[in-house]
Amino acid sequence: MTREQDIKNAVEVLRRGGVILYPTDTVWGIGCDATNPEAVSHVYQIKQREDSKALICLVDSDARLQRYVRNVPEVAWQLIDSLKDGNGKPTTLILDGAVNLANNLVAEDGSIALRITNEPFSKELCYRFQKALVSTSANISGQPAAQNYCDIDPVLLEAVDYVCWSRRQEHKPHQPSSIIRLRSDGEVTIIRK
């Protein structure tokens, strides 16, 4: 299957409110439409995770990120610009003032975790879908994240509506993203290096 067909299939499932397994710029992810509360609930069920723990979302661009955060602080743009060369570790930003997302995806304090992906497959998937995409690690809550397709628990493979074909043959180490909390008042906290 071509990458283009794989992305087309995944987007069709996402538009129907389905859940997919897909390769990202970090580990394999469980994904759904970040604006669809029913799809987000299904992801929490699959992961066996409390919905009080917010999930990360992927977007393909600065412009798309701005659709989901009321006021992006200047320090966030500086950090995003510093990561654009692709040399830095993928970094997720937790930002205040989440808007236009499923309410069960937003943290109690109104924040959301977003990452602009530069990895070709997930970037194209986000671009074609035209919305934020949930990107939580492909594992049951409390178990290790699936670095590669071969690490994914068979229970997860059965629980989702579509499993992407791209990058299934990879066998190399992948790490979760760094996570940085940027508050609207300028306070910066490193959650995960």
Side-chain angles (χ1 to χ4, degrees), residues 12 17 37 100 104 108:
E12 285 173 10
N100 305 318
N104 54 345
E108 286 181 17

Side-chain angles (χ1 to χ4, degrees), residues 9 21 24 82 112 133 161:
N9 294 348
L21 278 170
T24 75
S82 74
I112 188 67
L133 188 61
D161 303 298

